[in-house]
Amino acid sequence: MSEFEPKIVAFVCNWCTYAGADLAGTSRIKYAQNVRIVRFPCTGRIDFMLLLKAFEEGADGIIVSGCHPADCHYTSGNYHARRRWMVFKDLLDFIGIDSRRIVFSWVSAAEGAKWAHLVNDTVSEIRNLGPMKEYKNLENVSSNKIGELIND
Amino acid sequence: MARIGVFICHCGENIASTVDCGKVAEISSKIPGVVFSTDYKYMCSDPGQTLIKDAIKKYKLTGVVVGACSPRMHEPTFRKVVASEGINPFFCEMANIREHCSWVHPKGEETTQKAADTIRILVEKVRNNEPLYPIKVPVTKRALVIGGGIAGIQASLDIANAGNEVILIEKEPSIGGHMAQLSETFPTLDCSQCILTPRMVEVAQHPNITLMSYSEVESLEGFIGNFKATIRKKARFINEELCNGCGDCTLKCPIKKIPDEFNAEMGKRPAIYVPFPQAVPNKPVIDKDNCTHFKNGKCQFCKTNCSAGAIDFDQQDQLITVDVGAIVVATGFTIKGTDFFPEYGYGKYKDVVTGLQFERLLSSSGPTLGEVRRPSDGKVPKKVVFIACAGSRDPAKGIEYCSKICCMYTAKHAMLYKHKVPDGEADIFYMDIRAGGKNYEEFVRRAVEEDDVNYIRGRVSKVYEKNGKLIVRGVDTLLNSTPVEIEADMVVLATASVAHSDAESLAQKLHISYDSYNFFSEAHPKLRPVETNTAGITLAGACQAPKDIPESVAQASAAASKTIALFSQDLLTREPIIAVSNKSTCVGCFLCQSVCPYLAIEREEIKDRNGNIIKTVASINSGLCQGCGTCVAFCRSKSIDLQGYTNNQVFSEVSALFERSEEYV
Ligand code: FES
């Protein structure tokens, strides 16, 4: 059996992490191919419902990355994203998605190598976790059943 | 119905060597809505652009996706192409298949697949794009220049000479920067002060320049054309209007033993002082930490001796807010001190000095009035060893870059030393000699051939003191790594040039990017070496990377010309990437207002025809909004959207992440 190749989505901000990934390119630092990048102006823009959507589409793992604390191009978007992530984690636990499937990180425009590591580390972490099945399981649960689950 | 064209660029070999571009074009042609797709060697070239224009006409395209380099590089290029054919430029998107794909992955099917996926994601984005129109904003034709070294001085003069107002701020009591500290400059050996001080005076007298010395940026708000900067004018305890610069106070001050910053601590100064005789402004400042009056209230010597009555012990820091349209950052650099080098004695040995300290010993305005005398006993050193690359190009020290100026100034130091002490000996330990500049190589040759400077290729492992001599132990790598030991009277370290300790916090205040060494980052290393990623803020001089004087001056003039070009317009067009609110669905919770970093969200009252308020909703001030989109992610009723990154767009991008092969059959 061929090794499981996880599908990874990266939600990144334009000013730091997108530029950091550009730098990885200009410095020709090689990393795993599994990642698809979606560009946002700022991590503050990232509606976390999009993360669930990505899982629904078949992602096995997600990277959310922006500017380091204090470096956000818009001053505070990354702080909001971080808070949102803290809350979102609980929701993931509640709906039964392993929160290790989402990696929250900071990669600056100068950190091409960090970006490459981040992708590689995420790929190997998700490879260990195996394919994302939780969402599929959830899809099969009827709304009644969800009601029951919540009442339990 | 969308009619989208997909254009895949080979970028010569850059993309085509690992991505099968023809295949990507073929896969893309199957995406619903794509009516044309092709690949070409250089899409950004003239024929490439024509190819896109022709296809737009021929296939009546409504949107374009270019699979090429990073949009940070060529998005404006391709948007212009599309616009020239009458399509709203925001219907053009770039898929980054070079930096994010071909350059980072090996040749193969997966890399081609990734490129194809990236195209598909962007096709979905284009499909959901909406026409957007640039926003016009007024420009404040006044520039803020931060840093009064040679770069800041040059930029200020250029901008001011073009007829614009300039506010030049300098954190030290005088402008002049490092250049004012230099004795002579390479490769011409003209006296640094003689060429610099007339410029300093010009700044002070220029009707368009407001000079604020001893001042720093406290905070910055706003955006290109419309910044609001708050400047902290530090208390110098002198009423600058009354002070006539006679200098009596500095002579009367009983404290005289404070290490003098201007002389790189090679000399002493009083607690009330003018940093150097040609200082601009020529007004003293009281060093509060060392002043007896501030310590115990017992001394008033300067005050009683000031005939102008200019001493004001009660002066406070002032916060001054100014409106400016553009900013030039020219904050310069600093150098590592001798204490950074355990192997050379941690700064313990008085006669191991930095290049800047040696510079002061050579300078006729320095503490020894230009005689080379060693700090420990004031004797003229008969043997001086210079160590180039002290700290630079040294991964073990965490500084991997070349400090660029040291090869040249070390040659200059050795040369000047030999001119002053003709019977002395000068040895230079070096790694390589980097003399790439006009007349630079010739200058180094002169040091060797005419002034008998002895170059030893190799590194120094240790400097230690023995019987009043400094023993320099190193190797000569041109002689098979033979160990060399030299008994020196003095050792000069060409220590690494580094960013200021407060560079990071300044970058954060200005929202500009900086690299891992805290040097400020340019927008593009080759094509936009002067601009930062934040529109309206440019860089000049060594705050970006180590630079010599001609380079700093050239970049300063470049930054000035960018600024002048900006000021040549009355209205500025700005990308319409801003938030918009849907007033019919907004429920008025104003969560958005509490998270907006720009205070761009206002309350708008919706009234019925009798003037009764029905509800209060969020409305976005398009002048203030910068388009971060934080409000969009927070909005509970999805009533705010970000133009250019709408919910529809990002949602469909995410939906297109992974190929669902069945859709395309
Ligand atoms: S711009 Fe990068 S996180 Fe806000």
Side-chain angles (χ1 to χ4, degrees):
Chain A
M1 197 187 114
S2 68
E3 214 185 346
F4 156 62
E5 278 303 333
K7 293 178 180 166
I8 312 288
V9 187
F11 292 88
V12 304
C13 83
N14 178 45
W15 300 97
C16 283
T17 305
Y18 195 92
D22 274 0
L23 181 64
T26 28
S27 338
R28 312 293 198 279
I29 306 172
K30 302 275 181 266
Y31 58 87
Q33 283 136 325
N34 312 43
V35 68
R36 303 290 176 270
I37 296 174
V38 185
R39 177 161 79 132
F40 288 82
C42 172
T43 51
R45 167 66 184 91
I46 302 173
D47 183 340
F48 276 37
M49 291 326 262
L50 290 168
L51 274 54
L52 289 183
K53 178 69 185 162
F55 280 136
E56 190 191 325
E57 290 296 325
D60 299 302
I62 295 175
I63 293 169
V64 178
S65 176
C67 311
H68 284 263
D71 289 359
C72 173
H73 186 75
Y74 307 98
T75 321
S76 57
N78 52 357
Y79 295 130
H80 290 301
R82 180 167 62 184
R83 271 194 247 164
R84 216 175 276 152
W85 165 229
M86 298 320 292
V87 177
F88 190 68
K89 238 187 186 157
D90 287 346
L91 178 69
L92 287 182
D93 289 344
F94 178 74
I95 58 180
I97 295 177
D98 191 330
S99 60
R100 284 175 298 175
R101 290 195 181 274
I102 302 182
V103 179
F104 194 97
S105 182
W106 319 115
V107 174
S108 82
E111 294 174 328
K114 184 174 176 195
W115 166 252
H117 283 144
L118 175 66
V119 173
N120 286 340
D121 293 351
T122 310
V123 169
S124 59
E125 166 95 0
I126 303 294
R127 192 168 278 145
N128 291 337
L129 289 177
M132 167 78 179
K133 295 211 198 72
E134 293 96 319
Y135 207 94
K136 294 277 160 304
N137 295 343
L138 213 62
E139 271 182 353
N140 298 331
V141 184
S142 68
S143 46
N144 282 345
K145 191 83 178 294
I146 291 181
E148 277 171 37
L149 281 175
I150 292 174
N151 289 334
D152 278 354
Chain B
M1 191 43 204
R3 297 178 61 83
I4 297 168
V6 174
F7 301 85
I8 312 294
C9 178
H10 294 199
C11 194
E13 281 293 293
N14 281 305
I15 296 173
S17 64
T18 54
V19 170
D20 181 344
C21 296
K23 179 101 180 282
V24 176
E26 188 198 315
I27 300 176
S28 309
S29 71
K30 307 211 176 90
I31 306 172
V34 172
V35 294
F36 176 72
S37 74
T38 188
D39 57 314
Y40 183 68
K41 208 163 185 68
Y42 290 106
M43 214 48 100
C44 59
S45 69
D46 208 31
Q49 298 191 13
T50 313
L51 188 155
I52 300 177
K53 288 182 194 169
D54 291 346
I56 292 177
K57 281 194 266 261
K58 183 155 173 214
Y59 297 97
K60 301 195 169 40
L61 301 181
T62 58
V64 163
V65 172
V66 184
C69 51
S70 171
R72 297 164 57 85
M73 172 98 191
H74 268 319
E75 194 173 74
T77 315
F78 290 112
R79 289 202 161 154
K80 246 184 235 151
V81 172
V82 169
S84 75
E85 287 304 314
I87 302 181
N88 185 283
F90 291 88
F91 282 99
C92 170
E93 293 284 350
M94 287 189 73
N96 186 342
I97 60 170
R98 190 179 77 173
E99 281 85 344
H100 290 187
C101 189
S102 74
W103 273 352
V104 288
H105 304 315
K107 184 183 172 93
E109 226 164 86
E110 272 124 56
T111 306
T112 300
Q113 184 58 48
K114 180 173 176 183
D117 286 351
T118 312
I119 302 286
R120 193 181 53 246
I121 295 169
L122 272 307
V123 167
E124 287 317 312
K125 185 168 188 210
V126 169
R127 191 199 305 285
N128 289 285
N129 279 5
E130 274 157 31
L132 299 178
Y133 301 94
I135 299 168
K136 302 254 185 226
V137 284
V139 182
T140 307
K141 297 186 181 182
R142 184 184 301 120
L144 174 68
V145 177
I146 308 171
I150 183 60
I153 289 175
Q154 182 69 37
S156 302
L157 288 173
D158 285 355
I159 299 170
N161 285 338
N164 304 293
E165 280 180 54
V166 174
I167 296 169
L168 169 61
I169 65 171
E170 164 59 49
K171 74 172 169 188
E172 301 297 332
S174 167
I175 58 171
H178 279 118
M179 190 174 166
Q181 291 174 288
L182 306 184
S183 54
E184 261 101 70
T185 56
F186 60 79
T188 45
L189 294 190
D190 39 5
C191 141
S192 187
Q193 292 234 347
C194 314
I195 51 179
L196 175 68
T197 46
R199 295 278 169 110
M200 292 165 57
V201 174
E202 208 182 322
V203 164
Q205 295 176 345
H206 204 295
N208 287 345
I209 300 179
T210 309
L211 172 60
M212 294 172 70
S213 61
Y214 216 42
S215 302
E216 290 181 56
V217 174
E218 182 79 5
S219 64
L220 181 76
E221 284 165 33
F223 50 92
I224 180 168
N226 298 275
F227 293 106
K228 211 177 248 322
T230 304
I231 294 162
R232 176 176 294 273
K233 193 170 184 324
K234 295 178 281 187
R236 64 199 299 154
F237 306 106
I238 306 293
N239 182 328
E240 283 173 81
E241 257 134 56
L242 297 179
C243 172
N244 55 22
C246 69
D248 284 349
C249 52
T250 65
L251 301 174
K252 294 285 161 27
C253 179
I255 310 266
K256 296 219 168 354
K257 288 258 157 65
I258 304 161
D260 182 353
E261 297 85 354
F262 180 75
N263 279 321
E265 318 209 325
M266 291 281 99
K268 304 271 184 258
R269 63 159 171 83
I272 179 166
Y273 68 105
V274 179
F276 54 104
Q278 300 79 8
V280 170
N282 195 359
K283 310 267 154 113
V285 42
I286 296 180
D287 168 2
K288 194 174 174 193
D289 298 337
N290 287 304
C291 166
T292 318
H293 176 83
F294 283 103
K295 279 190 184 150
N296 54 27
K298 293 225 174 87
C299 175
Q300 296 250 2
F301 270 110
C302 54
K303 188 164 186 162
T304 43
N305 282 293
C306 178
S307 51
I311 310 283
D312 176 3
F313 291 125
D314 300 323
Q315 205 174 60
Q316 301 289 327
D317 285 8
Q318 269 174 283
L319 289 179
I320 299 167
T321 304
V322 291
D323 290 321
V324 293
I327 297 170
V328 178
V329 187
T331 47
F333 69 106
T334 181
I335 58 161
K336 282 283 180 202
T338 46
D339 54 346
F340 185 63
F341 300 92
E343 64 275 37
Y344 308 146
Y346 277 119
K348 273 199 314 263
Y349 309 135
K350 279 193 172 157
D351 297 328
V352 176
V353 299
T354 65
L356 195 57
Q357 290 175 320
F358 195 67
E359 198 77 52
R360 293 312 299 150
L361 296 179
L362 292 170
S363 168
S364 49
S365 72
T368 55
L369 303 176
E371 277 181 55
V372 183
R373 294 186 174 279
R374 48 186 222 164
S376 60
D377 54 11
K379 286 201 186 117
V380 177
K382 289 291 176 210
K383 190 158 187 73
V384 180
V385 172
F386 296 86
I387 303 177
C389 303
S392 310
R393 301 177 65 195
D394 189 349
K397 293 244 182 258
I399 302 174
E400 291 185 37
Y401 57 85
C402 163
S403 288
K404 200 164 184 184
I405 52 176
C406 329
C407 282
M408 293 307 296
Y409 77 62
T410 299
K412 176 191 78 177
H413 284 168
M415 218 183 227
L416 292 175
Y417 164 69
K418 291 283 289 187
H419 294 174
K420 296 193 181 221
V421 187
D423 61 333
E425 280 175 54
D427 295 320
I428 299 180
F429 279 92
Y430 70 102
M431 284 164 82
D432 302 288
I433 298 175
R434 297 185 164 174
K438 195 168 175 175
N439 291 326
Y440 284 13
E441 177 64 22
E442 295 89 321
F443 183 78
V444 176
R445 295 304 324 158
R446 223 167 87 202
V448 177
E449 284 158 15
E450 286 174 28
D451 292 308
D452 248 345
V453 175
N454 180 30
Y455 273 84
I456 305 164
R457 187 176 192 277
R459 310 214 65 179
V460 172
S461 58
K462 199 170 175 181
V463 176
Y464 59 96
E465 227 166 22
K466 199 169 146 195
N467 305 332
K469 290 277 185 189
L470 289 163
I471 314 294
V472 181
R473 198 187 271 171
V475 288
D476 188 333
T477 52
L478 293 183
L479 289 176
N480 250 334
S481 297
T482 334
V484 190
E485 226 176 60
I486 299 175
E487 274 191 16
D489 298 318
M490 205 173 163
V491 174
V492 182
L493 308 180
T495 59
S497 299
V498 293
H500 280 295
S501 57
D502 57 359
E504 185 176 16
S505 85
L506 179 66
Q508 290 171 350
K509 282 178 195 162
L510 303 178
H511 307 300
I512 58 177
S513 350
Y514 50 96
D515 66 18
S516 47
Y517 301 108
N518 290 351
F519 286 116
F520 303 142
S521 305
E522 61 283 356
H524 187 278
K526 294 185 197 69
L527 300 178
R528 295 175 69 201
V530 175
E531 298 102 312
T532 64
N533 265 328
T534 303
I537 305 186
T538 47
L539 302 174
C543 60
Q544 180 194 16
K547 283 197 184 73
D548 60 19
I549 296 168
E551 280 182 319
S552 300
V553 172
Q555 197 188 11
S557 287
S561 87
K562 294 279 169 201
T563 308
I564 296 164
L566 173 67
F567 290 172
S568 68
Q569 308 155 278
D570 291 324
L571 287 177
L572 183 80
T573 47
R574 201 157 73 75
E575 284 240 316
I577 308 298
I578 54 161
V580 284
S581 66
N582 179 340
K583 286 165 195 162
S584 52
T585 56
C586 174
V587 294
C589 70
F590 291 103
L591 192 58
C592 49
Q593 203 175 34
S594 64
V595 299
C596 177
Y598 302 102
L599 308 175
I601 297 178
E602 291 160 3
R603 288 165 178 267
E604 183 181 322
E605 292 171 347
I606 310 269
K607 295 184 182 147
D608 66 11
R609 76 183 79 172
N610 301 323
N612 303 319
I613 298 167
I614 309 171
K615 63 172 183 173
T616 313
V617 296
S619 132
I620 285 116
N621 179 326
S622 58
L624 295 176
C625 175
Q626 293 303 297
C628 66
T630 304
C631 55
V632 180
F634 269 98
C635 181
R636 293 161 173 154
S637 59
K638 292 270 168 286
S639 299
I640 299 190
D641 217 342
L642 182 64
Q643 298 191 146
Y645 294 89
T646 61
N647 285 323
N648 257 344
Q649 286 173 307
V650 293
F651 194 81
S652 38
E653 279 182 82
V654 173
S655 308
L657 278 171
F658 305 105
E659 190 164 16
R660 298 230 181 108
S661 39
E662 66 279 18
E663 281 179 16
Y664 299 140
V665 221

